[in-house]
Amino acid sequence: MKVARKGLLIVGVPLLFQAVFVAVMLCLFMQLNADLVREIRARDAILCANNLMTAMMEASFSAAAFSFTGEQGFSTYFDREMQKINVLILKNKSLCVDNPKQLRKLDNIAKYSKEMELIYRRFLQDRHLVNDVLDGRKFDREEATSLKLGSEILEFIDQSQTLADENLKRRALARSRISAALLGGLLLDVFLTASICLFLSRSIVSRLSI
């Protein structure tokens, strides 16, 4: 074999191996990063949903408190909580923009929250409605809407928790793949180095024996 070809072989094979190795590691790290981002988004969505549930309870309390006391501060607090609810829903939609199933769930949450807002505003406008509730008069539509809203929020939280757990498992798998790739790359690098050294030593010995 000519010296030029030998030099090309000695230089080209390690470079080719390094290029493939870097490409594989880059893909694995990109996958690991994508799984991490999805897990963070899912956990942020859970936090937003819990805050949403809290805000709905606060809004309900403030509407009832205003109906009992007529204190204007409760009405102002209700408006602030409803604004918070709208912001939280929009934030969750931005976190779940790549998940149609969760977006549909958030659309349902937005719909039922609007219905609940209308119900609460009836209490703000007519304080006597609270007396009807206390007297045992049924508000079937209001109760059904409240239950649907709570159910949708809890289902959304369960979906987000499942996604977070799945991404956590994928990250663990990606880390194990990275470890395996590093070990495999190290062993292959040692093998290539030993092979090139053996090839060079034989070439030198053959030239000296001529």
Side-chain angles (χ1 to χ4, degrees):
M1 185 180 292
K2 293 182 180 181
V3 175
R5 290 184 178 179
K6 289 181 180 179
L8 181 61
L9 180 64
I10 293 171
V11 174
V13 171
L15 285 178
L16 179 61
F17 165 73
Q18 292 295 333
V20 173
F21 179 73
V22 169
V24 170
M25 294 303 298
L26 182 61
C27 289
L28 289 174
F29 276 111
M30 288 176 63
Q31 181 63 46
L32 181 64
N33 183 68
D35 290 336
L36 177 60
V37 169
R38 283 193 292 267
E39 182 184 348
I40 292 174
R41 285 183 175 180
R43 297 199 182 282
D44 285 345
I46 293 172
L47 179 61
C48 282
N50 285 325
N51 291 337
L52 178 62
M53 183 75 81
T54 301
M56 289 302 304
M57 294 174 63
E58 292 289 339
S60 174
F61 167 78
S62 58
F66 176 79
S67 298
F68 277 116
T69 66
E71 179 63 40
Q72 189 61 37
F74 288 116
S75 177
T76 302
Y77 187 75
F78 170 82
D79 291 333
R80 187 166 67 246
E81 290 302 302
M82 292 309 304
Q83 289 178 358
K84 184 189 296 184
I85 289 169
N86 294 330
V87 170
L88 288 170
I89 291 175
L90 290 176
K91 183 179 180 180
N92 253 340
K93 285 187 175 182
S94 68
L95 292 170
C96 305
V97 67
D98 58 346
N99 191 315
K101 184 177 180 180
Q102 285 197 297
L103 287 177
R104 287 194 296 271
K105 188 66 65 177
L106 287 169
D107 286 338
N108 290 337
I109 290 173
K111 181 183 73 174
Y112 292 132
S113 68
K114 286 295 183 184
E115 291 182 10
M116 287 305 301
E117 180 180 3
L118 293 176
I119 293 170
Y120 291 148
R121 291 198 181 281
R122 285 177 56 200
F123 282 94
L124 295 177
Q125 295 168 3
D126 187 355
R127 294 174 56 192
H128 298 293
L129 289 175
V130 165
N131 295 327
D132 292 338
V133 175
L134 293 177
D135 290 340
R137 295 185 178 89
K138 276 290 185 180
F139 285 78
D140 293 333
R141 177 174 171 271
E142 291 82 347
E143 184 178 1
T145 301
S146 178
L147 290 174
K148 287 178 181 178
L149 177 58
S151 176
E152 292 289 340
I153 294 175
L154 291 176
E155 287 178 11
F156 177 82
I157 292 174
D158 288 340
Q159 287 180 359
S160 299
Q161 186 62 57
T162 299
L163 288 173
D165 292 341
E166 289 175 352
N167 283 292
L168 181 60
K169 292 178 181 178
R170 280 199 292 265
R171 281 204 301 127
L173 179 60
R175 285 195 297 269
S176 65
R177 287 175 176 172
I178 290 173
S179 298
L182 286 172
L183 179 60
L186 177 62
L187 294 175
L188 187 56
D189 189 47
V190 171
F191 173 76
L192 287 175
T193 302
S195 299
I196 291 173
C197 290
L198 181 61
F199 174 75
L200 285 175
S201 63
R202 286 182 177 178
S203 178
I204 292 172
V205 169
S206 64
R207 283 184 172 274
L208 291 176
S209 62
I210 294 175

